[in-house]
Amino acid sequence: KKIRDIAIESEFQAKYVLDTIWNMCILRYNANYEFEDDFPMTKEEFARTTNELDKLVNYCVYRQLHIKSIYKQLQEETGLPETICNYMAEKIDNDFEKLKLNFIINTITRD
């Protein structure tokens, strides 16, 4: 997975990608997002990573996971470095109420 490669090269870049996914796709969707020329992923890689992260976040919300369980799930599913897993576990935990509302709305409005 490309995000692992980015994380190995640069923790800063990995966090930048994850923050972009988080702010533009997970919490709220921005269909008009413009990729910078130096963005470290292709649009296809970005879409694939977004889809995988969205599924993982939904699983954590559905299961009502504690931050330690979120961290463990991230480690097992992604193979990302410990610092990145901690970073993402904290993001999920900090935004848990918003994510729960998104999950409920998505569940109710599904076709």
Side-chain angles (χ1 to χ4, degrees):
K1 295 184 181 183
K2 182 73 172 159
I3 191 69
R4 269 188 253 146
D5 297 337
I6 294 170
I8 290 168
E9 293 172 16
S10 168
E11 184 177 307
F12 175 79
Q13 285 287 330
K15 287 180 179 180
Y16 170 62
V17 168
L18 291 169
D19 284 345
T20 302
I21 291 170
W22 194 257
N23 294 321
M24 298 297 133
C25 301
I26 303 292
L27 284 184
R28 298 178 76 183
Y29 181 65
N30 180 357
N32 299 315
Y33 180 73
E34 296 289 330
F35 285 86
E36 300 291 326
D37 290 337
D38 62 345
F39 195 79
M41 292 185 143
T42 66
K43 289 181 182 182
E44 293 78 22
E45 291 166 336
F46 181 83
R48 188 172 41 254
T49 303
T50 297
N51 188 40
E52 291 171 8
L53 183 59
D54 189 48
K55 288 177 186 176
L56 187 55
V57 168
N58 281 333
Y59 175 80
C60 292
V61 171
Y62 174 75
R63 296 291 312 263
Q64 300 272 335
L65 296 182
H66 183 273
I67 190 169
K68 290 179 182 179
S69 296
I70 294 169
Y71 170 80
K72 185 176 179 181
Q73 194 69 35
L74 285 164
Q75 274 193 315
E76 291 173 2
E77 295 289 328
T78 67
L80 288 168
E82 184 178 317
T83 55
I84 300 297
C85 289
N86 273 328
Y87 182 73
M88 285 309 300
E90 287 176 8
K91 286 184 91 54
I92 294 169
D93 192 62
N94 289 338
D95 288 327
F96 203 79
E97 294 302 314
K98 291 176 190 174
L99 294 168
K100 223 173 9 175
L101 286 173
N102 286 348
F103 181 84
I104 292 167
I105 290 168
N106 289 335
T107 302
I108 291 171
T109 59
R110 237 182 247 154
D111 292 333

